[in-house]
Amino acid sequence: MISRSVFWYVTTNALCFVPNKTRFVLIDTRHEGNVGAAARAIKTMGFDDLVLVTPKDRKALNRQKTIHGASGALDILEN
């Protein structure tokens, strides 16, 4: 699930686009590898906010399979 809202505001010289923060939410996750892969994809796209809602394994972010799947996106898992 991806939520993104934006708004516009007027400065003295131009109309400016201001994006709000995008948050990626995984609900009822069951496989640690998918959490790691999602973290890696989020980082690749330039985002940094991943939220797990009611994961099957509450320690999924610390599992070896998640860390391997994240492959360089540990900062996403730590947020």
Side-chain angles (χ1 to χ4, degrees):
M1 172 182 269
I2 302 172
S3 67
R4 183 173 194 134
S5 58
V6 297
F7 63 92
W8 296 83
Y9 72 94
V10 179
T11 65
T12 54
N13 297 327
L15 188 63
C16 297
F17 170 75
V18 180
N20 286 339
K21 188 165 178 100
T22 299
R23 175 171 288 162
F24 293 82
V25 181
L26 301 180
I27 301 171
D28 294 330
T29 54
R30 291 187 169 86
H31 192 271
E32 293 91 1
N34 290 341
V35 175
R40 186 178 68 242
I42 289 166
K43 181 167 183 138
T44 300
M45 293 184 293
F47 298 102
D48 63 0
D49 197 0
L50 171 64
V51 177
L52 300 184
V53 176
T54 61
K56 180 180 176 186
D57 180 1
R58 294 217 174 259
K59 296 182 180 181
L61 294 176
N62 298 322
R63 300 288 183 210
Q64 198 64 27
K65 204 168 198 177
T66 304
I67 293 167
H68 283 291
S71 182
L74 293 179
D75 56 325
I76 304 298
L77 297 177
E78 293 170 353
N79 285 338

